Amino acid sequence: MTDTASADTSGAVTGGVRTVLRLEGLALFIGMTLLYYIWDGDLWIYAILFFMPDLSFAAYLSGPRFGAMIYNAAHSYLAPMAMMTTGFGTASPLILSIAMIWLAHIGFDRALGYGLKYASGFGVTHLGRIGKLPN
């Protein structure tokens, strides 16, 4: 039976599950980067596109709720997996390349502990708090 008085209610995963999720992110980053390399993708395109999802940070200028929504849309697996499926279905190297780079970015972020954001603030994620605690 769980002791509800000491249960974590932050909405963030902890312990071994958090470690597994971060390792999954690392595996995704390495896997997509290797696949892109084997695919013979241009490294300069990889370098340019790798940090494009981070432009979603700018949405936080409109507030934490909107910022979290846009950040999460750019850092969720949904769109790049749909792109990858479309790329395979249409045999489009460009779409597949963008999807691989996007997924590599998401994996990199998750490996570093940057999870999907809650509307309560940028530092509150599904993988735990990031940054300094407020004073």
Side-chain angles (χ1 to χ4, degrees):
M1 183 161 189
T2 304
D3 179 8
T4 56
S6 64
D8 184 8
T9 60
S10 69
V13 66
T14 60
V17 174
R18 182 175 192 265
T19 301
V20 168
L21 290 174
R22 290 184 69 178
L23 288 172
E24 282 180 348
L26 181 62
L28 182 64
F29 167 64
I30 291 170
M32 289 297 107
T33 301
L34 275 172
L35 186 59
Y36 185 80
Y37 176 77
I38 291 167
W39 184 261
D40 205 24
D42 288 324
L43 291 181
W44 68 271
I45 292 174
Y46 183 95
I48 290 170
L49 294 181
F50 186 79
F51 290 107
M52 290 294 262
D54 285 340
L55 293 176
S56 63
F57 288 141
Y60 275 92
L61 295 172
S62 294
R65 182 176 206 79
F66 184 71
M69 181 179 68
I70 299 302
Y71 179 92
N72 289 344
H75 289 82
S76 165
Y77 299 128
L78 296 171
M81 287 305 299
M83 279 185 87
M84 186 163 273
T85 302
T86 301
F88 277 120
T90 61
S92 172
L94 176 62
I95 293 173
L96 284 168
S97 294
I98 292 169
M100 284 183 259
I101 296 167
W102 195 352
L103 286 166
H105 173 87
I106 294 170
F108 182 76
D109 275 7
R110 299 280 168 83
L112 293 177
Y114 290 93
L116 297 175
K117 310 299 184 210
Y118 287 102
S120 56
F122 181 80
V124 184
T125 80
H126 85 285
L127 293 176
R129 187 166 240 319
I130 56 172
K132 293 182 179 181
L133 292 173
N135 291 335

